[in-house]
Amino acid sequence: MTPAAADPATGAGQPPRARRLAGVDAARGVALLGMMAVHVLPDVDPDGSTSLAYLLASGRAAALFALLAGVGLALAHGGSRRLPQGRGWAADGAGLAVRAACIGLVGLLLGEVDSGVAVILPYYAVLFVLAVPLLGLRPPALVGVAVAAAAVVPVLSHDLRRALPAPDRTNPTLADLAAPGDLLRELLLTGYYPALPWVAYVATGLAVGRLALGAVRVQAGLLAVGAALALGAAGASSLLLGPLGGRAALEADLAGYPPAEVDRLLASSQYGTTPPGTWWWLALDAPHSSTPLDLLHTTGTSLAVLGAVLLLARVAGPLLVPLAAAGGMTLSLYSAHVLLLSSGLLPAEPLASWLVQCAAALAGATAWRLAVGRGPLEAAVAGLVRPVRRAVGGVQEPSPRGSVER
């Protein structure tokens, strides 16, 4: 964490390194509010057009959340100064496994409530486990892992899922632990946030977290590279589905649907994976399709948002205090959000409901951070992780914000 004398959200009065860390937290706050928007706001406007909230946040907010998980892991485990090795890596890995178990348990409990939300936390937990062997890799190797996860895993998954049962669209719960094979299949391959292709986000985030993120050139580079990647992936999808004939193949695969419904199906969420029919499905970049172009596009948008927020934090740090505070306790706030959606206490009008939740998250997180520090669930998880790390490696738990070079 930032030193106790510093403003815990902005790093005010501290060197640029602290301000940069506030930018990472603020980007995580953006992801949280974006996911809340997807959960609450309608995806279609009254005139039948796609809503602005859906266009901006669907698929992208969750990807940003996952990519920033990788950034956070890198910062928590050496940043750009140290790669975990030997006993230190064992301690980091053991602590991360405990953290994953805690997050997974919270996610399975949240799956028990009727919130209407596809709860991401069980998948997030599996991603943390898959990240353990990646902690000691340097950025070039991590980029290689990310590219393989984005380009190869969806192809293998597409073929493998042809022989698998249809996906279960319900949330995983504690009861699913009785069938661990089925639960693991859902979390890794067929669920709403399939962990194996989503390794692309975590590996990319780990690579980014090993960079000198306090440097303007790196921040601007993230914005530029991310924007180029996002635009390039979207353009490639349009080319493949248009002039190169992919749309016709998908229409044949969706025989019987009217053209308007085909348009809707191809543009809307795919709930984690595309149908395992024609290989042309892999040319889609629709939200939550986990195709190569969807993964590349949303990786690009995530990098661009992170770069933009880091740059903004340099010149307007105080304005980001609430976002950074919320981004520092996303486990607690996300859990509260899911519970609130199932409570019946929120306004019935979607926009009012979202605004109330945003205001409560930003104000509540700011007050909690200033008065207490870590969020309640974050503190509880850290309390379980710390003794495990100490027992395995004989070291203290590292700061969740890590130190990096400017």
Side-chain angles (χ1 to χ4, degrees):
M1 304 291 286
T2 50
D7 182 308
T10 66
Q14 298 301 309
R17 179 181 301 166
R19 293 197 299 272
R20 191 278 300 169
L21 294 171
V24 173
D25 270 351
R28 196 177 291 113
V30 170
L32 175 67
L33 299 188
M35 291 179 73
M36 290 166 58
V38 174
H39 297 159
V40 175
L41 299 177
D43 56 0
V44 177
D45 287 331
D47 63 0
S49 61
T50 303
S51 69
L52 180 62
Y54 186 89
L55 287 172
L56 292 178
S58 184
R60 299 185 181 98
L64 177 59
F65 200 56
L67 185 139
L68 289 171
V71 174
L73 290 176
L75 297 179
H77 301 287
S80 62
R81 294 180 180 271
R82 175 185 65 85
L83 289 175
Q85 301 293 335
R87 193 174 179 183
W89 174 84
D92 288 346
L96 188 53
V98 172
R99 191 179 300 276
C102 294
I103 292 171
L105 176 60
V106 173
L108 293 176
L109 290 171
L110 290 176
E112 302 279 356
V113 303
D114 184 16
S115 64
V117 169
V119 177
I120 196 174
L121 295 182
Y123 303 87
Y124 206 59
V126 174
L127 279 173
F128 274 21
V129 174
L130 295 175
V132 170
L134 307 181
L135 291 177
L137 299 182
R138 298 186 181 278
L142 289 166
V143 171
V145 171
V147 170
V152 178
V153 172
V155 176
L156 298 177
S157 170
H158 188 86
D159 194 45
L160 179 61
R161 283 184 288 107
R162 289 171 170 168
L164 296 179
D168 182 358
R169 299 304 187 191
T170 61
N171 278 318
T173 64
L174 291 172
D176 292 314
L177 293 174
D182 293 343
L183 176 60
L184 195 60
R185 180 183 68 238
E186 180 180 354
L187 296 178
L188 289 173
L189 283 172
T190 64
Y192 203 89
Y193 313 98
L196 283 180
W198 277 49
V199 167
Y201 300 133
V202 174
T204 301
L206 278 166
V208 169
R210 300 294 182 198
L211 302 178
L213 281 178
V216 175
R217 67 182 184 280
V218 174
Q219 297 167 358
L222 290 174
L223 175 56
V225 171
L229 183 59
L231 292 172
S237 178
S238 296
L239 179 65
L240 289 167
L241 295 179
L244 296 183
R247 168 64 187 244
L250 293 178
E251 288 176 346
D253 216 36
L254 294 170
Y257 287 94
E261 183 66 6
V262 171
D263 289 339
R264 188 192 67 80
L265 290 172
L266 297 183
S268 61
S269 172
Q270 298 295 307
Y271 303 101
T273 55
T274 56
T278 172
W279 288 99
W280 280 104
W281 281 107
L282 295 177
L284 207 64
D285 68 342
H288 293 294
S289 55
S290 299
T291 65
L293 293 176
D294 170 43
L295 294 167
L296 292 174
H297 173 78
T298 47
T299 295
T301 57
S302 300
L303 292 173
V305 169
L306 175 58
V309 175
L310 288 169
L311 289 169
L312 181 61
R314 304 182 72 90
V315 298
L319 297 178
L320 300 182
V321 170
L323 271 176
M329 50 187 295
T330 50
L331 178 60
S332 296
L333 292 176
Y334 179 88
S335 300
H337 163 67
V338 173
L339 292 174
L340 273 174
L341 288 178
S342 65
S343 69
L345 299 175
L346 294 168
E349 203 280 318
L351 181 58
S353 175
W354 181 67
L355 291 175
V356 165
Q357 292 181 73
C358 289
L362 296 174
T366 302
W368 185 280
R369 176 71 72 88
L370 292 172
V372 181
R374 267 181 171 160
L377 288 182
E378 287 77 7
V381 172
L384 295 172
V385 168
R386 192 176 298 112
V388 172
R389 295 195 72 260
R390 187 182 298 119
V392 174
V395 295
Q396 296 291 328
E397 182 189 11
S399 162
R401 297 188 175 201
S403 61
V404 296
E405 298 171 357
R406 179 160 172 74

